[in-house]
């Protein structure tokens, strides 16, 4: 059961609409390394994680990723609120606008809609945790790329916050991997998942 705190994890107060920024930042909503995929990945993986500390980590991080979905949605809304027709056309946001107006819809910056194939839930603890470590690094790189393209401090500050959280999540999954390795013997690491020996 979750309880919802009715405020963003980090404030988003963007004064100047900029649909060009929205067009690239939207990847962190519905792109292959975005926040929706992260939340779904971790919240689904927790069912087969076995160890309470790891289940707790997956639940905590997955829940925080839902808060990040909310932050990205707020950023996108504020970047497109009050935009002019000229801004829509000159920014390249027109192709998105035709299908969604200014609605927040999960797509990648390339225009490809969110797809559940972006998440991985293998049911093998080591495989899933390595996937999670990689996912956090891919999200960090995407935030790095966004920061290379955005110069508005009102946009940069929440993006920098989100980037920093990817690093914390990476560290938490590193701790979870150590817990898993301490509980499995070397045969489990490299050969097979013994849970399915009888299949």
């Amino acid at each position: 059961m979750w309880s919802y705190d009715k405020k963003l994890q980090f404030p988003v107060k963007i004064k100047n609409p900029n649909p060009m920024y929205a067009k690239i930042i939207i990847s962190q909503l519905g792109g292959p390394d975005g926040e929706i995929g992260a939340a779904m990945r971790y919240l689904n993986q927790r069912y087969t994680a076995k160890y309470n500390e790891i289940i707790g980590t997956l639940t905590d991080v997955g829940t925080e990723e839902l808060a990040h979905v909310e932050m990205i949605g707020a950023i996108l809304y504020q970047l497109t609120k009050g935009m002019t027709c000229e801004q829509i056309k000159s920014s390249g946001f027109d192709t998105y606008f035709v299908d969604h107006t200014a609605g927040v819809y999960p797509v990648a910056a390339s225009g490809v809609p969110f797809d559940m194939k972006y998440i991985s839930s293998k049911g093998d603890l080591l495989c899933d945790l390595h996937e999670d470590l990689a996912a956090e690094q891919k999200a960090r790189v995407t935030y790095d790329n966004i920061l290379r393209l955005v110069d508005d401090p009102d946009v940069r500050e929440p993006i920098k916050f989100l980037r920093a959280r990817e690093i914390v999540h990476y560290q938490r999954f590193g701790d979870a991997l150590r817990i898993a390795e301490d509980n499995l013997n070397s045969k489990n690491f490299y050969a097979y998942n013994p849970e399915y020996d009888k299949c």
Side-chain angles (χ1 to χ4, degrees):
M1 176 65 77
W2 281 271
S3 62
Y4 176 63
D5 191 0
K6 296 182 181 182
K7 64 178 185 177
L8 294 177
Q9 191 180 16
F10 185 93
V12 176
K13 296 179 181 176
I14 299 168
K15 294 183 278 301
N16 300 310
N18 190 323
M20 182 180 72
Y21 288 169
K23 187 177 176 186
I24 58 174
I25 292 169
I26 202 161
S27 236
Q28 280 303 84
L29 180 68
D33 306 311
E35 303 293 357
I36 290 175
M40 295 299 96
R41 179 183 305 109
Y42 309 144
L43 293 174
N44 283 296
Q45 287 176 353
R46 68 193 174 125
Y47 293 105
T48 56
K50 291 187 181 182
Y51 307 111
N52 287 336
E53 300 96 333
I54 299 173
I55 293 167
T57 296
L58 289 164
T59 303
D60 290 349
V61 176
T63 300
E64 185 175 349
E65 301 291 11
L66 291 173
H68 296 174
V69 169
E70 186 177 41
M71 278 185 66
I72 293 293
I75 291 168
L76 295 170
Y77 170 72
Q78 291 179 28
L79 284 172
T80 58
K81 183 180 179 185
M83 61 186 168
T84 66
C85 286
E86 182 53 40
Q87 286 175 312
I88 293 167
K89 293 175 189 175
S90 65
S91 67
F93 195 75
D94 51 349
T95 54
Y96 179 93
F97 183 83
V98 166
D99 292 332
H100 308 290
T101 319
V104 176
Y105 179 78
V107 298
S110 63
V112 176
F114 176 76
D115 194 317
M116 284 300 286
K117 70 183 173 194
Y118 296 154
I119 78 161
S120 177
S121 182
K122 203 70 165 169
D124 181 285
L125 188 55
L126 293 175
C127 180
D128 284 345
L129 288 172
H130 281 283
E131 170 69 24
D132 300 344
L133 287 161
E136 293 298 322
Q137 288 301 311
K138 290 186 279 186
R140 178 200 46 86
V141 170
T142 304
Y143 282 124
D144 286 343
N145 291 339
I146 290 168
L147 289 168
R148 289 179 179 107
L149 299 171
V150 170
D151 59 9
D152 182 340
D154 291 344
V155 181
R156 287 179 63 83
E157 290 309 307
I159 295 296
K160 288 182 345 189
F161 170 84
L162 290 164
R163 181 198 180 280
R165 295 307 299 164
E166 304 299 345
I167 294 167
V168 172
H169 296 169
Y170 181 80
Q171 292 166 337
R172 298 249 350 245
F173 287 132
D175 294 340
L177 183 61
R178 281 187 285 284
I179 293 167
E181 289 172 346
D182 288 347
N183 284 284
L184 296 171
N185 64 42
S186 61
K187 187 174 183 182
N188 301 143
F189 288 180
Y190 305 110
Y192 65 99
N193 183 336
E195 192 169 336
Y196 300 103
D197 275 349
K198 296 177 184 171
C199 291

